[in-house]
Amino acid sequence: MGRHRQRLPWIAAIAAAALLAWMVPGRADTPELLAQGQKLYTQGKFAEAIDLLAKLAQDSTLGNAEAKSVFLLLAKATAAKGFPDQSEAYFTKVLDIDPKYQLDTKVEPPQVQRVWFKVDEARRAAGPPDPGIKTIAVLYFENNSVADRDAMAGLSKGLAAMLVTDLSRLSDLRVVERERIQYILDEIKMEQSEYFEESSAVRVGKLLGAHTLLMGSFSKLDKKKLRIDARLVKTETGELIKAEKVEGDPRKLAQLQSDLTLKIAGDLNLTVKEMQDKAIRADGGQPIEAVLAYTRGLNLEDEQKMAAAYEAYKEALAAYPNHEAARDRLVALEPLVAAGG
């Protein structure tokens, strides 16, 4: 009888542990619950995703990789729901776990991008000096068109975004995201008229930590001729490194832009591998309809018209099925569109 009484505490402890395991998600449940949280986020059910993930985040048995995934999804869901302070706190937890983490902003909506840029800027300011990798920022291009000036206006951002996409293919170069540039411009409240002034551009470049700036203008002279001028400027001194230009049929805009990318790579003494060259030239084959639809999507995003931007990216992808940038933006905006944004 005494021996039986001595075993009771052990029985009670086992029962308590079983009850706790039933109440708190364990490691075996984590992948399934994470997948459920991701699904809710993609469906635009941000509040439900936050409730589920917040409970999962309290599980003390989570490993670092699992906790990182939970906090990352919480950061995205809270940003999309309109809680930037909470999102910032969750992104900070992600960086506590993985200090070298980098968000793939190409597939994230604007709300998530803005919070991430804020957190990342703070991390960079507190971090070690720049390792010396060449960094370039592509600023918006000035529209100097004589023909169809209003119709060409959207290419100010679109041409810059296309150059960012192609330059990002080069492994020896770090390219600042277009969205990060827009974030800085919004933060310092720079007027549109100031974007194209060299002194203002150098200021923006320094804030972005870019060694080199790519800036310039484009001009549709008539129905048969489009000219793109570009300048490479050293951020530290404002010194002109090189000026380039391409010109040709406006309907072959993508090809002109690809040619300009390869010229710039040469100016920067970058090695362009065969596969990189092939990918850049392939993008040059996209029709003007895809270029204009993608450009329209970028401008609609900046105007916070997400459903309309989503449709524009679908048009771009329909006109050019290999349009990776348009496909990335569709992935980014899907949760917002599903939520009715």
Side-chain angles (χ1 to χ4, degrees), residues 130 132-136 205 209-213 233-236 241:
D130 190 290
I133 299 174
K134 290 181 180 177
T135 303
I136 189 170
H211 302 105
T212 307
L213 292 172
V233 176
K234 189 177 294 186
T235 305
E236 185 178 355
I241 301 172

Side-chain angles (χ1 to χ4, degrees), residues 52-249:
L52 183 152
L53 293 162
K55 291 175 184 176
L56 184 57
Q58 296 173 14
D59 179 7
S60 60
T61 69
L62 290 177
N64 280 348
E66 295 167 331
K68 175 182 167 183
S69 297
V70 172
F71 289 132
L72 178 58
L73 198 45
L74 272 169
K76 293 166 61 173
T78 49
K81 185 63 178 172
F83 302 136
D85 291 344
Q86 291 183 25
S87 177
E88 186 177 339
Y90 286 128
F91 270 130
T92 300
K93 287 181 178 292
V94 171
L95 292 177
D96 286 342
I97 296 170
D98 180 3
K100 295 183 179 180
Y101 175 76
Q102 288 290 340
L103 183 71
D104 183 4
T105 56
K106 297 192 302 293
V107 292
E108 301 299 343
Q111 295 91 323
V112 175
Q113 291 173 340
R114 284 194 293 271
V115 177
W116 168 252
F117 291 146
K118 182 179 179 181
V119 173
D120 194 38
E121 290 298 321
R123 172 178 64 170
R124 292 185 183 200
D130 190 290
I133 299 174
K134 290 181 180 177
T135 303
I136 189 170
V138 184
L139 303 189
Y140 298 150
F141 275 56
E142 188 171 7
N143 178 14
N144 291 332
S145 296
V146 176
D148 301 326
R149 180 177 175 83
D150 291 342
M152 299 293 288
L155 284 174
S156 179
K157 293 179 182 179
L159 183 56
M162 293 164 67
L163 283 161
V164 166
T165 297
D166 277 350
L167 288 170
S168 296
R169 301 180 190 277
L170 306 178
S171 55
D172 295 334
L173 187 66
R174 179 185 297 151
V175 185
V176 180
E177 310 99 312
R178 184 199 76 89
E179 295 82 3
R180 188 185 293 269
I181 295 172
Q182 185 63 52
Y183 167 77
I184 290 293
L185 293 174
D186 291 343
E187 285 293 298
I188 63 177
K189 296 179 173 57
M190 183 174 288
E191 297 293 332
Q192 181 75 31
S193 59
E194 295 180 275
Y195 289 177
F196 311 112
E197 295 176 5
E198 202 144 306
S199 58
S200 298
V202 169
R203 177 188 173 201
V204 171
K206 288 178 179 178
L207 289 171
L208 291 165
H211 302 105
T212 307
L213 292 172
L214 173 59
M215 53 195 299
S217 63
F218 62 90
S219 178
K220 185 177 182 183
L221 302 174
D222 52 44
K223 291 184 178 180
K224 296 183 179 181
K225 190 170 183 180
L226 173 70
R227 172 172 167 161
I228 306 173
D229 291 282
R231 304 190 308 279
L232 286 168
V233 176
K234 189 177 294 186
T235 305
E236 185 178 355
T237 62
E239 173 190 355
L240 177 66
I241 301 172
K242 184 79 174 181
E244 294 287 2
K245 73 172 182 178
V246 292
E247 57 184 24
D249 186 342

